[in-house]
Every structure is written in structure tokens, then in C-alpha cells.
Amino acid sequence: MKAKEIKTVACVGAGVIGYSWALQFALKGAHVNVYDITDEALNLAKERIHESLKLFIRNQLLTEDETKIIEGRISYTTSMEEAVRDALFIQESGPESYDIKHQMILEMEKYTSDKTIIASSTSGLLITEIAKVSKHPERFVGAHPYNPPHLIPLVEITKGEYTTEENVVIAKEFFELMGKAPIVLQKEALGFICNRLQMALYREVCELVMRGVCTIEDADKAVTFGPGIRWGIMGPSMVFQLGGGKVGIDGLFHHLESSINLWLEDMADFKEFPKEWPEIARKGVDETIKNRSKEIGNTDETLAQYRDDMLVELLKLHHML
Ligand SMILES: NC(=O)c1ccc[n+]([C@@H]2O[C@H](COP(=O)([O-])OP(=O)(O)OC[C@H]3O[C@@H](n4cnc5c(N)ncnc54)[C@H](O)[C@@H]3O)[C@@H](O)[C@H]2O)c1
């Protein structure tokens, strides 16, 4: 099978992640069958898709008529058979539990073709274990999104013990066709790539705040207007390549080695966040929000709107919208 043959996708499980996947696939022209266990869950997904499309209208990326066409590509059903029968790609976004995912797989495999690829949105369960009840574990991949998948391009593709390389390639190509930025993990890693990177940085935020070096607000400001603004353009290694000037990234490390090693020696290496951290973080976030203007978000709702509008601008700059 070729990725471009995939015209119909099934989104099985239509909660926070599932609805957003369905929207992304429909935005890119696929026909999407959304499955969930109750009409209530399906209605919520439909409403979330409708609401999310307003962002595209507000930012003049789509007209109201175009959003209707996109919504028209999406069907909703509580029948697994209807959902997966014609789909060559299934994005599973059910609850994070082996038992429930196993039940879902047994049900979908009654109706799906043998060559259909099944991608799980799991945040941390093992693909080998998820696929163990399947007659065709070779067609299972992990496809871990970042929330919301219709705005964050990254997908971390993981393999199980039996996943074939051919299916990994098809999945990767399919996500590229769907406007995503997939990367394939060559080995299993708890937390995948990005959760580890985020936590490495956040551990140091915690350390700096607990030592009294800076406030939560200033740590956020440091990231947003320091490295973060560059990371929105290119990754840390490319940033260091430029930082090294004529000598590049290797020159930078040779040049700064003695300093860098001193910093590393002094940096956080704890294995558990301090018990008092959630409270400290809460207070710091409340204080930060208090100091923000409405234009850049000063309630959870306006913050989310500001984030999404800025994401749209960034994605436009990356030619991803
Ligand atoms: N929320 C996140 O930020 C996030 C990010 C990345 C990955 N994930 C992963 O995505 C998956 C879904 O997470 P979520 O946050 O959307 O959860 P959610 O609770 O919002 O949605 C789960 C959906 O699955 C449905 N469901 C329950 N039993 C089902 C069944 N037997 N068959 C089909 N659907 C069923 C529920 O009705 C619900 O709509 C999880 O594996 C999670 O780890 C979540």
C-alpha cells in the first residue's frame, strides 16, 4: 500500500485528542469516520471541531463556506463496522489503558482490512503490548501527538516488536501528507523525545526558582524571549551551530567546554520534583497571569486564544498552514 492511497481515515475515540486528529485529517482533504461509544461523546467532538474551525476563520485562513466543506468530510458513528470498514488508516485515541485499547482492537479487527495501519495516540503505553491481542501486530505503530494535534505539527512515531519497517514508512509518509512533522523513534524511550526535553528544561526551572535565582514569571520570560523564540524557528543544535560562528557547533563546545562543565555540575539532577513544587508553581502562575494584559491573555480562556492565534502565525511562517 502507498500512503497516498489512504483516502478514508477512522478516528476511534473522539475525546480531547481524537476530535483534533479528525479535524486535522479533514483539513488535509481526507474523509474521516469518527467513532466513539456514545452519541454524547460524538456530539461533543462535533462541537469541538466546529469551535476549533472558528480559529481558522478568525485568522482568515478559511471562509465559513470552506469550513462547512471540511465539516462535511467528517462522519460520526457509534458503529465500529461503519467507522473502520473503508479506512486504510485508523488513529486510535481511546483511554490510556491496555484493557480498553485491547477491547477496541478486537472490535476493529472484526471489520478492518488486513493492510489497514493502526496508529495509537498513546502517551506512554508500549506498542508491543497494545498490539499483542492483534492478528496483525505488524501494522501497529505509535503516533504520539502534542495537544492539539491540529495545531502542533509534531508526531512521534514509535514501533512495536513486530511493526514492519514498511508500515512505519507508510505511516510517516501519510502523516507528512496530512501536514504533520513526523519523526520516528529508532528505540523505545519513556516519555518519547519531547516530553523528556520539556522535563529536562522544567527541572531546571524548578531548581532556579527553589534556589531563589528567579521567579516563575521571569523563568517563563527568559524562555519566551530568549532561546524559546529561536527554538520556534530551528532546533537547539542548529541554534548552537550558528552560536559557534565560524567554528560552528563543535567549535562552540570546545570553546565553552570548561564553563559548560561547571554549569552542568551545578544544575538540577533530582529524580523527583519536590513535594512543595505544585503549590509554588501554582502561586507563580497566578502571579504571572495577574501581570499580563488581556491582549496577550490573562485568563485561561484568553491565554488559550492568544496561544492559538500565535501558533497560527508561526505555522504560517513555517509554511505549514
Ligand atoms: N490529552 C493529551 O494531552 C494527550 C496528548 C497525547 C496523547 N494522548 C493520548 O491520547 C489518547 C486519548 O486521550 P484523550 O486525552 O483524548 O482522552 P479523552 O478521555 O478525552 O478521550 C477518550 C475518548 O475515548 C472514548 N472511549 C472510551 N472507551 C472507548 C472505547 N471502548 N472505544 C472507543 N472510544 C472509547 C471516550 O468516550 C472518550 O471520548 C490516550 O491514549 C492519551 O494517552 C493524550
Side-chain angles (χ1 to χ4, degrees), residues 12-18 35-38 41 48 80 92-97 100-101 103-104 120-125 144-147:
V12 175
V16 170
I17 290 299
Y35 168 88
D36 209 303
I37 45 176
T38 62
R48 281 169 160 166
M80 183 68 92
E92 173 277 306
S93 308
E96 187 77 343
S97 134
I100 301 179
K101 290 196 192 289
Q103 283 168 29
M104 293 166 81
S120 174
S121 298
T122 180
S123 300
L125 304 177
H144 180 244
Y146 282 80
N147 194 25

Side-chain angles (χ1 to χ4, degrees), residues 119-244:
S120 174
S121 298
T122 180
S123 300
L125 304 177
L126 298 173
I127 297 306
T128 309
E129 192 60 27
I130 291 177
K132 78 173 188 194
V133 296
S134 167
K135 283 180 280 177
H136 294 285
E138 74 281 356
R139 40 99 155 249
F140 275 81
V141 294
H144 180 244
Y146 282 80
N147 194 25
H150 69 273
L151 289 177
I152 306 292
L154 179 68
V155 186
E156 293 171 318
I157 299 182
T158 53
K159 316 171 200 182
E161 208 179 317
Y162 304 105
T163 314
T164 57
E165 215 37 55
E166 190 193 347
N167 284 332
V168 171
V169 170
I170 299 170
K172 183 166 184 269
E173 284 175 5
F174 170 69
F175 283 119
E176 279 162 355
L177 289 172
M178 292 292 108
K180 308 293 293 174
I183 52 176
V184 178
L185 272 72
Q186 298 305 331
K187 281 183 179 177
E188 241 151 21
L190 280 173
F192 308 120
I193 293 171
C194 266
N195 281 331
R196 295 174 78 114
L197 295 176
Q198 295 190 115
M199 271 316 137
L201 178 72
Y202 206 68
R203 176 162 60 184
E204 194 54 36
V205 168
C206 172
E207 178 74 14
L208 290 167
V209 171
M210 299 289 280
R211 276 198 207 177
V213 176
C214 63
T215 59
I216 294 234
E217 187 175 4
D218 280 347
D220 263 16
K221 196 168 170 184
V223 176
T224 307
F225 297 112
I229 207 158
R230 293 193 298 223
W231 290 335
I233 306 166
M234 61 184 85
S237 299
M238 296 307 286
V239 166
F240 284 155
Q241 167 66 14
L242 292 182

